[in-house]
Amino acid sequence: MSHDPNTDDTPLMSHFAELRTRFIRILIAVLVVFLALVGFSRQLYDFISNPLVALLPNEASLIATDVASSFLAPIRLSFFVALFITVPFILAQIWGFVSPALYRHEKRTAIPLLLSSIVLFYTGVAFAYFVVLVPALKFFVMFAPDNVLPMTDIDSYLNFVVKLFLVFGVMFEIPVLTLVLVLVRLVSVQSLASKRRYIIVACFGIAAIVTPPDGASMLMLAIPMCLLFELGLVLARLLVKDNPQQLPDSDKSA
């Protein structure tokens, strides 16, 4: 019986073609949002830098140590904001690629998790801006030596803020991560609960590493991490007993 090797490659090539299409859509979406925001790049940078400017002495200001920094820093911020805004669209494209391979019960579980991850990410970013940023900046300004005038480079400040937002956005995904680990049977609720003290210590250790070197910022990340872990455990206890381990192929959607 003859065998055509091209038939084995057809499904794989179609997957690659769809992946390329979705990747192009993501690039176009980010580019469109970026172009819409680039005209407001200065206003965006003012919005991000106002918390620091309000804390600086009257004779101090933000500075640009590179010739192009005053132009490039706001443009970079516009790109980062475009990425933040398009996160739901990016996740929707990823979901559209992987969802055909999921069973119906897996889709019923995955869709709420996907929506929750988006909400938690934006909540983490908002928490970082409205709650954490000002105390962290106060720490740096307050402890500057008397003979040192704090004048931060705009590129350095942008890197600091983006890192802070990203850290809090990712860390606020802990409930989703906890729930996913339990649902896929990598760990059990009981094993996580029994290791609670070690996880709490790990949360404080991670917070100490990724936040600015002040106790307030560390606590503002570590305490929510612990609470979010507990929330993930509660959700896992409610959902895991109703989650079937395996369903027949007839349950797989077309």
Side-chain angles (χ1 to χ4, degrees):
M1 185 175 180
S2 63
H3 176 70
D4 184 3
N6 292 328
T7 59
D8 295 336
D9 295 335
T10 301
L12 182 61
M13 294 305 296
S14 65
H15 287 315
F16 276 121
E18 183 182 359
L19 183 62
R20 182 184 63 183
T21 300
R22 294 189 179 277
F23 183 70
I24 292 173
R25 290 176 185 171
I26 291 172
L27 289 179
I28 292 174
V30 174
L31 181 61
V32 168
V33 177
F34 169 72
L35 292 176
L37 292 174
V38 74
F40 305 95
S41 57
R42 290 187 177 182
Q43 291 88 334
L44 286 173
Y45 200 93
D46 288 341
F47 178 76
I48 290 295
S49 60
N50 280 340
L52 176 60
V53 173
L55 296 171
L56 292 175
N58 293 331
E59 63 273 18
S61 65
L62 290 174
I63 61 173
T65 57
D66 188 85
V67 174
S69 293
S70 57
F71 170 76
L72 292 179
I75 297 298
R76 286 176 55 215
L77 176 59
S78 298
F79 177 74
F80 289 135
V81 174
L83 284 177
F84 280 137
I85 291 175
T86 53
V87 163
F89 181 81
I90 293 171
L91 292 179
Q93 292 302 308
I94 296 174
W95 169 253
F97 180 74
V98 303
S99 61
L102 300 178
Y103 292 99
R104 289 195 187 99
H105 75 279
E106 291 173 332
K107 290 182 180 180
R108 288 196 296 268
T109 303
I111 291 176
L113 288 176
L114 184 65
L115 296 176
S116 299
S117 66
I118 295 172
V119 173
L120 287 170
F121 178 79
Y122 285 129
T123 302
V125 173
F127 185 84
Y129 181 81
F130 291 106
V131 179
V132 179
L133 183 60
V134 171
L137 295 175
K138 279 184 179 179
F139 172 82
F140 293 120
V141 174
M142 184 186 308
F143 286 93
D146 294 335
N147 59 347
V148 174
L149 187 62
M151 300 180 72
T152 304
D153 175 63
I154 59 175
D155 269 328
S156 299
Y157 179 72
L158 177 59
N159 293 335
F160 169 81
V161 170
V162 170
K163 176 187 173 184
L164 188 70
F165 290 175
L166 186 60
V167 164
F168 274 82
V170 171
M171 292 304 173
F172 266 60
E173 301 291 339
I174 287 177
V176 174
L177 176 61
T178 303
L179 187 55
V180 167
L181 290 176
V182 174
L183 289 175
V184 300
R185 312 290 176 175
L186 288 179
V187 293
S188 66
V189 175
Q190 294 75 17
S191 65
L192 285 175
S194 66
K195 297 178 176 63
R196 179 181 282 109
R197 68 183 67 180
Y198 304 108
I199 293 174
I200 291 174
V201 172
C203 288
F204 277 86
I206 293 172
I209 294 172
V210 301
T211 56
D214 65 293
S217 298
M218 183 191 74
L219 292 175
M220 287 179 186
L221 179 59
I223 293 175
M225 285 174 66
C226 297
L227 296 176
L228 291 167
F229 167 72
E230 295 295 336
L231 175 62
L233 279 184
V234 171
L235 294 175
R237 285 193 179 99
L238 294 174
L239 297 177
V240 71
K241 54 188 175 185
D242 296 325
N243 183 55
Q245 294 189 31
Q246 188 176 3
L247 289 180
D249 289 343
S250 60
D251 187 43
K252 197 171 184 179
S253 61

